[in-house]
Amino acid sequence: MSSESHPDTTAAPRSTTYAAAGVDVEAGDRAVELMKSAVAATHNANVVGGVGGFAGLFDVSVLKDFRRPLLASSTDGVGTKVAIAQALDKHDTIGYDLVGMVVDDIIVCGAKPLFMTDYIACGKVVAERIADIVRGIAEACASADVALVGGETAEHPGLLGVDEYDVAGAATGVVDADDLLGPEKVRAGDVLVALPSSGLHSNGYSLVRHIIAEAEWSLDRHVDEFGRSLGEELLVPTHVYTAELNALFARLPGAVRSVSHVTGGGLSANVARVLPMGLVARMSRSSWEIPPVFTVLGDLGGVPRDDRERTWNLGVGMVLVTAAEAADAVLAACPGSWVLGEVRADDGSLSSEDDYVQGAKGVDGGAAILR
């Protein structure tokens, strides 16, 4: 007979729990309790039900008043800016970045954002941290009159570190077809009005992080040009433009023809995509002073001007293409705005210049040049 031993199949199985695998359901429940009041504060009369449902419900009876309602949707994240928040253990502003990136992509077509949802993936649910993130999202939504109707927090142990997370969001808005803004409304002679950014917003942080790592600058380093620490400057939240643009459109109907949200790709690429074929946006570098964060980081990293202009907003957060006769009224209605340039017929004379950008972001549209 063989003396080979066999496992004892009658032994009690080893106990393995979800918590042992790294997922803390109770921490998720605590996070929801901590954020509930902030989320509820964004709810208006159109929100049906409260926090905690499987789906967010929004009453769209108002659409019956539209001649031809068009739904606008957008989704985005905040990129590697989350790494700065994690390094500083400060999480209450990243929500503004998320909301700005999402809802301001909706307002540019003239649509009013209605509601938003968020998604947070993390290595470990720390209830207070998740609540800080969502409170920031909720506060930004409230500032834009957007209802935060739902969200999800997912714990991914083994995939993300215990202090790592990423955020994403999606929103839906509505515009009547007659009020839709876009390239088809732009005309030669229109004026480009720029709205200031609050800083880096949420683009180009991979370049930023590379620069400060190579220079061995710590986030707590005081920078005289900023008047605060490097980390504080890098965490300045994205400005959310939705409320002021909603008010502008209502106050001056027809004054704005097209709008560009200056995000990834920089100024020229994002302006070119909101113009039609045959027109070019001629913008002047001398029309504004670039904020210190861009010059300090650019000089520190030896970043060429072309790369700076293709990566960062350089102080321009939005560009409004306005009818020439309405430009003064738009400037008066938008504090801090200035004339960035003008729209002209594209006769081909500029197309050979290095700064000429045409058909950017997959759009076979107009052109832009920054001179």
Side-chain angles (χ1 to χ4, degrees):
M1 292 181 61
S2 170
S3 61
E4 182 180 352
S5 62
H6 297 278
D8 183 359
T9 57
T10 63
R14 184 177 59 184
S15 176
T16 302
T17 64
Y18 207 9
V23 176
D24 188 343
V25 176
E26 291 182 358
D29 290 340
R30 288 198 304 275
V32 171
E33 287 301 317
L34 291 172
M35 70 178 74
K36 276 177 65 175
S37 61
V39 174
T42 73
H43 291 183
N44 52 38
N46 296 315
V47 177
V48 179
V51 178
F54 283 97
L57 299 174
F58 194 88
D59 186 343
V60 291
S61 299
V62 68
L63 298 189
K64 294 183 294 186
D65 299 329
F66 285 69
R67 188 188 68 81
R68 184 186 168 204
L70 303 177
L71 294 180
S73 66
S74 175
T75 186
D76 210 339
V78 302
T80 62
K81 188 170 184 175
V82 295
I84 306 297
Q86 291 160 18
L88 292 173
D89 195 23
K90 180 173 171 56
H91 314 282
D92 57 347
T93 61
I94 207 75
Y96 278 82
D97 298 295
L98 180 63
V99 173
M101 290 298 99
V102 174
V103 303
D104 284 343
D105 273 357
I106 288 178
I107 192 66
V108 298
C109 66
K112 174 177 171 47
L114 300 174
F115 55 85
M116 181 170 173
T117 58
D118 64 74
Y119 177 80
I120 304 170
C122 60
K124 178 179 176 58
V125 170
V126 178
E128 293 75 15
R129 180 164 62 207
I130 298 299
D132 278 348
I133 297 169
V134 176
R135 271 196 292 263
I137 295 171
E139 289 171 6
C141 280
S143 75
D145 191 24
V146 175
L148 184 60
V149 298
E152 175 71 13
T153 299
E155 203 166 18
H156 293 167
L159 183 62
L160 294 170
V162 294
D163 293 320
E164 293 179 335
Y165 62 82
D166 198 8
V167 296
T172 299
V174 64
V175 60
D176 204 308
D178 291 340
D179 299 324
L180 182 67
L181 304 180
E184 63 282 352
K185 292 192 174 181
V186 178
R187 302 288 182 266
D190 286 347
V191 175
L192 304 171
V193 173
L195 304 185
S197 71
S198 56
L200 286 156
H201 283 183
S202 298
N203 300 107
Y205 272 79
S206 292
L207 176 59
V208 170
R209 291 167 54 241
H210 178 77
I211 290 169
I212 62 177
E214 289 290 306
E216 298 182 345
W217 276 26
S218 65
L219 292 175
D220 61 2
R221 179 190 183 107
H222 181 83
V223 180
D224 290 340
E225 292 89 340
F226 304 158
R228 54 187 160 195
S229 72
L230 173 63
E232 289 172 320
E233 181 68 28
L234 297 186
L235 271 193
V236 170
T238 300
H239 184 78
V240 181
Y241 297 90
T242 290
E244 59 196 275
L245 290 183
N246 268 329
L248 176 67
F249 299 156
R251 179 177 174 183
L252 299 172
V256 178
R257 305 195 196 273
S258 187
V259 181
S260 173
H261 188 194
V262 183
T263 55
L267 183 57
S268 292
N270 282 293
V271 170
R273 68 197 288 204
V274 301
L275 301 182
M277 291 274 293
L279 295 183
V280 58
R282 300 200 302 184
M283 301 174 288
S284 172
R285 290 189 180 96
S286 63
S287 67
W288 84 101
E289 184 176 348
I290 295 175
V293 65
F294 302 104
T295 53
V296 169
L297 291 172
D299 292 347
L300 180 65
V303 182
R305 185 179 71 182
D306 287 351
D307 264 56
R308 300 184 197 197
E309 293 179 347
R310 284 194 301 260
T311 307
W312 297 324
N313 66 61
L314 298 182
V316 182
M318 285 274 187
V319 177
L320 314 181
V321 184
T322 69
E325 63 273 15
D328 287 342
V330 171
L331 288 165
C334 301
S337 63
W338 69 94
V339 174
L340 178 66
E342 60 185 358
V343 178
R344 292 297 182 193
D346 191 355
D347 60 7
S349 63
L350 302 174
S351 60
S352 62
E353 298 194 21
D354 290 340
D355 295 329
Y356 181 89
V357 175
Q358 191 275 326
K361 296 278 189 174
V363 177
D364 193 15
I369 187 164
L370 189 57
R371 310 188 70 178

